[in-house]
Amino acid sequence: MSTRINGSRGFARAALLWTLLLVGIAAAAFLYFFEYYTKEVDLGFDAEARRNPYLAAEKFLDRIDVPHRQADNIAVLSELNDNDVLFLANSNLIYNEQRLWELLEWVEQGGQAIVVSNQLSTDGERNLLLDLLDLEVTYGDTDLYFNWQLREVFGEEAKTLQDKTVSELMRDHNRKLAEKSKNQNSDTALIEDAKEVAQDTNTEGTRNPEVDPERLINLTSDGGTSYSLYFDPELLLTHEMMAQGDEVDVQGGLLHWVTFQDLAPPSGQEVAQPSDASHYDSNLLHHQSPLAFFEYGRGKITLMADNGLWQNRRIGEFDHAFFLAHLTGQKNLVMITRPHFLGFSELIQRYWLEFFTAGGLVLLAWIANRSRRFGPREPEGASVRRSLLEHVRACGYFYWREQAARKQFEAIRSRLHDKILPNASAAPSGHQQAEFSQLLAERTGLTSNEIITTLWGAAPHSEETFTARMRSLQIIEDAL
């Protein structure tokens, strides 16, 4: 019995030792062959940044203690003073001439405005501010750096492929991937992938993209501070006097601009034209500007065609953020990037006190207008009935106006003729009329002339004659 117990205990101890040994060997192998590392994966902008493309600019302004706020629409002009800087993300927000002149009046009094005009009109809509300054937005050069989809595929290599179309770039890229997958073994692929990761890491570590110096705009402030800016050269501002100088008098103010040093493509390359080539003119390459200033009165309007300079993707590049801080200075920045107009329900919520006050005044005015009708009801007056004579007289006037008197007279006289001479085919002679009238005069008491005129004379033409003739016809008819 004791021998079996000791043998079981020895087997359990041996199994435990072998288990611990295997676990130790597995742990040592894991620590030797596996390495712990961290990798950052760019998930893109969060929901707030996607909803507000100027979120990074607002965060930057908060960091340097520059006051700023969002406004609903251009109607905010009535609330601004010369200590404010107005930023319009689109010049079409100036939707009528009244708002345009309100903006110019505010600038003349010392206001500062930054206006982006980044769209070419396709529906005939006027750009009021640019029309006033004789400026136009036109197509310029094309830079693949601003095509985010291509940059995600080609990386920084995209800027060296300006002489090819997008379809050609995609065909070359797919061909290289197929050759790489076919010819390289797994070890070589791992080495190349490691090199690409290292290159991507070095590229992401730099804040500014590698661009041609000719594409940069270098500005120097009055205090000597220099700003390097990288504008999108695809949409640019142009003026008919741009080829003759750097400024011109417009509307009582001074309009001046900055131009690229050289927009011509490198030797042996052609500029990739936009899809709508009808808007492209290579002769304007040296006569276009990404940035213009309009000095009016004591204020200034800064105009540009690039709407992405201060958006989330590019505000961290070069001196874009610091240039925004320079334009704002120590003033308050009022930004109109997402225009909004109040609906009826929002107007009631905002102005509910004025709404109910106006409604109460209208109710009081209605009560005051109706108050004279309140009180006991007055007794109704006795109804007045018209006499039969008035009805007869009214009918007579009606028939007389409708020319029915003559017809009625002729009808009654014709009936009397049938009674007097029932078989006569023609009117009686003068002798017969005299004899008959003499006979009727004895019966009726009328004179012979009255009887002859009534029976064979002309129809009456006046109210008095008509009444007398009708009375005579009635007497003659009674006598017969």
Side-chain angles (χ1 to χ4, degrees):
M1 178 72 88
S2 62
T3 303
R4 291 180 179 178
I5 294 174
N6 292 334
S8 299
R9 290 178 179 177
F11 178 77
R13 291 175 180 175
L16 178 61
L17 290 175
W18 278 106
T19 301
L20 293 176
L21 180 62
L22 292 175
V23 171
I25 293 174
F30 177 80
L31 295 176
Y32 180 78
F33 289 106
F34 292 89
E35 180 181 359
Y36 178 78
Y37 69 95
T38 60
K39 181 179 180 180
E40 294 183 1
V41 178
D42 186 5
L43 300 179
F45 295 132
D46 58 12
E48 185 179 3
R50 288 194 299 269
R51 184 173 59 254
N52 181 13
Y54 295 92
L55 179 62
E58 295 178 1
K59 298 293 185 182
F60 171 75
L61 295 174
D62 290 335
R63 184 181 303 175
I64 62 176
D65 297 328
V66 173
H68 63 90
R69 64 183 177 92
Q70 283 281 350
D72 290 336
N73 51 65
I74 194 66
V76 75
L77 281 170
S78 60
E79 306 173 5
L80 302 181
N81 52 48
D82 56 1
N83 195 39
D84 294 321
V85 176
L86 179 64
F87 173 68
L88 294 177
N90 194 327
S91 58
N92 289 330
L93 296 175
I94 309 173
Y95 51 83
N96 58 34
E97 294 186 357
Q98 179 182 355
R99 296 303 186 190
L100 174 62
W101 290 110
E102 288 179 1
L103 173 65
L104 292 178
E105 182 179 358
W106 172 69
V107 171
E108 185 179 16
Q109 296 174 358
Q112 305 284 330
I114 305 171
V115 181
V116 178
S117 180
N118 59 311
Q119 293 182 351
L120 291 171
S121 178
T122 57
D123 54 359
E125 183 180 2
R126 292 182 57 196
N127 198 319
L128 298 177
L129 180 59
L130 297 187
D131 290 348
L132 182 70
L133 302 179
D134 296 329
L135 285 171
E136 295 181 0
V137 178
T138 183
Y139 282 113
D141 193 7
T142 301
D143 190 352
L144 291 182
Y145 169 79
F146 294 94
N147 191 318
W148 304 106
Q149 291 80 7
L150 290 180
R151 290 196 62 194
E152 291 178 358
V153 176
F154 299 102
E156 293 299 325
E157 184 184 1
K159 66 178 181 294
T160 65
L161 306 174
Q162 301 285 348
D163 56 337
K164 296 183 179 181
T165 63
V166 176
S167 59
E168 292 174 346
L169 293 177
M170 294 304 300
R171 284 197 298 268
D172 293 344
H173 180 69
N174 294 332
R175 179 177 53 79
K176 291 180 181 178
L177 290 178
E179 292 177 355
K180 180 179 179 181
S181 176
K182 180 178 180 181
N183 299 330
Q184 292 181 343
N185 55 31
S186 59
D187 294 336
T188 306
L190 291 175
I191 295 174
E192 293 297 328
D193 291 341
K195 290 181 179 180
E196 291 178 3
V197 170
Q199 182 179 1
D200 293 341
T201 303
N202 294 333
T203 301
E204 293 176 358
T206 60
R207 179 172 65 91
N208 299 330
E210 296 181 2
V211 298
D212 296 332
E214 292 82 2
R215 296 182 181 271
L216 288 177
I217 295 295
N218 296 305
L219 301 177
T220 303
S221 65
D222 295 337
T225 304
S226 178
Y227 301 96
S228 294
L229 309 175
Y230 186 35
F231 289 92
D232 185 355
E234 183 176 4
L235 292 180
L236 300 171
L237 299 172
T238 182
H239 191 278
E240 60 181 4
M241 300 298 293
M242 196 169 289
Q244 304 180 14
D246 57 358
E247 62 184 22
V248 65
D249 293 332
V250 179
Q251 298 294 331
L254 182 62
L255 176 66
H256 53 97
W257 46 79
V258 294
T259 57
F260 292 102
Q261 296 181 13
D262 188 4
L263 282 180
S267 175
Q269 296 186 8
E270 295 181 357
V271 177
Q273 298 184 7
S275 58
D276 188 2
S278 62
H279 294 281
Y280 182 79
D281 187 357
S282 60
N283 295 328
L284 294 177
L285 287 176
H286 301 280
H287 304 153
Q288 297 169 333
S289 170
L291 185 66
F293 302 95
F294 178 57
E295 297 179 356
Y296 188 70
R298 296 187 291 111
K300 181 175 65 175
I301 300 178
T302 303
L303 299 107
M304 63 182 67
D306 186 359
N307 68 330
L309 192 68
W310 295 314
Q311 292 187 4
N312 297 332
R313 291 184 180 273
R314 294 172 52 207
I315 190 173
E317 299 174 354
F318 298 99
D319 298 325
H320 297 171
F322 301 104
F323 183 59
L324 176 61
H326 167 72
L327 293 178
T328 306
Q330 302 299 321
K331 298 183 177 182
N332 304 322
L333 182 62
V334 180
M335 307 176 68
I336 305 179
T337 59
R338 291 169 291 174
H340 173 71
F341 295 89
L342 297 179
F344 183 71
S345 59
E346 294 174 319
L347 289 173
I348 292 180
Q349 292 178 1
R350 176 173 294 188
Y351 303 106
W352 64 270
L353 180 59
E354 292 83 351
F355 176 77
F356 284 107
T357 301
L361 292 176
V362 171
L363 179 60
L364 291 176
W366 179 81
I367 292 176
N369 183 54
R370 301 283 296 184
S371 61
R372 65 176 181 269
R373 300 188 181 183
F374 297 161
R377 185 175 179 179
E378 296 181 356
E380 296 183 1
S383 60
V384 180
R385 300 182 61 182
R386 297 184 181 276
S387 64
L388 181 60
L389 181 60
E390 289 179 326
H391 286 287
V392 173
R393 185 181 294 113
C395 291
Y397 282 126
F398 172 76
Y399 286 124
W400 182 262
R401 288 194 303 269
E402 296 296 326
Q403 304 296 326
R406 180 184 181 89
K407 296 179 181 180
Q408 184 179 11
F409 176 79
E410 292 292 347
I412 296 175
R413 189 167 63 172
S414 176
R415 189 169 60 250
L416 290 178
H417 288 170
D418 293 338
K419 287 183 179 182
I420 296 171
L421 300 172
N423 298 323
S425 59
S429 61
H431 179 70
Q432 293 177 344
Q433 292 178 4
E435 291 181 355
F436 190 75
S437 62
Q438 191 68 25
L439 180 61
L440 287 178
E442 296 177 357
R443 297 181 181 182
T444 60
L446 299 175
T447 63
S448 299
N449 292 333
E450 289 179 346
I451 295 174
I452 294 173
T453 303
T454 301
L455 292 177
W456 295 285
H461 296 286
S462 64
E463 298 176 6
E464 293 79 5
T465 306
F466 172 77
T467 303
R469 299 283 180 85
M470 290 297 294
R471 178 174 174 277
S472 299
L473 287 176
Q474 184 67 38
I475 294 174
I476 295 172
E477 186 176 10
D478 293 341
L480 295 176

